[in-house]
Amino acid sequence: MPSDSPLVRGEKTTRRDQILAAAAELFARHGFHGVGIDEIGAAVGISGPALYRHFRSKDAMLGEMLTSISRYLLDGGRARAEDGGSPDEVLAGLVRFHVDFALSQPALITVQERNLANLSQPDRKEVRALQRRYVEVWVSVLHAAVPGLGDDRARSAAHAVFGLMNSTPHSRHLPDDELADLLTTLALGALYAAK
């Protein structure tokens, strides 16, 4: 099972994790190119140049951030797919996992949405590969829950529902628990209607 946060790689939050979390908030608010290392350092109480003890560059920071998000989603998706239960229960668990991620990590969603093109070629390639594998988890779960749904239709439905669930940075009009229930209901309705 993945950690509670896509940027924390162990039991305890490290300085590196703190830097990534602060950078995610700043990148989401001001854009990748609108944030310098001094601002990131100040957000965690160190000098900008001290960041280089943890990351070789701001680009490397972004690469690790987006790779971590994608790996977190893939690992969490696989865990939900392997949880057992009926196909409907597995699909509901997968949807709820992604909704919970979207509600708890709006800055990461915004950074992912806006900055994929700013990744280095190797990082972009890795993120895209992880994302494709995450989509295939959804396709497999959808095949079990919605019999007769073809691969292309299942992939299209998964991507459409990601857009719905990932809208949370722009649609926080309800308390989180109510919004989570609404997004889960809407996502499941859309997925079952995909047949």
Side-chain angles (χ1 to χ4, degrees), residues 58-71:
K58 192 172 83 165
D59 292 341
M61 195 179 305
L62 179 65
E64 184 168 327
M65 185 184 302
L66 296 186
T67 301
S68 294
I69 298 166
S70 300
R71 191 169 290 116

Side-chain angles (χ1 to χ4, degrees), residues 15 17-23 38-47 51:
R15 173 64 81 180
D17 300 330
Q18 293 169 347
I19 292 167
L20 285 173
D38 290 332
E39 289 99 339
I40 299 168
V44 293
I46 61 176
S47 71
L51 292 177

Side-chain angles (χ1 to χ4, degrees), residues 16 19-20 23-24 27 31-37 40 48 51-52 54-68 111 115-127:
R16 189 178 179 89
I19 292 167
L20 285 173
F27 293 165
F32 177 71
H33 296 296
V35 177
I37 62 164
I40 299 168
L51 292 177
Y52 293 121
H54 303 278
F55 297 94
R56 71 180 184 283
S57 67
K58 192 172 83 165
D59 292 341
M61 195 179 305
L62 179 65
E64 184 168 327
M65 185 184 302
L66 296 186
T67 301
S68 294
V111 172
N115 294 291
L116 193 61
N118 292 321
L119 289 175
S120 69
Q121 175 76 9
D123 285 338
R124 188 168 40 249
K125 185 176 179 181
E126 182 176 0
V127 167

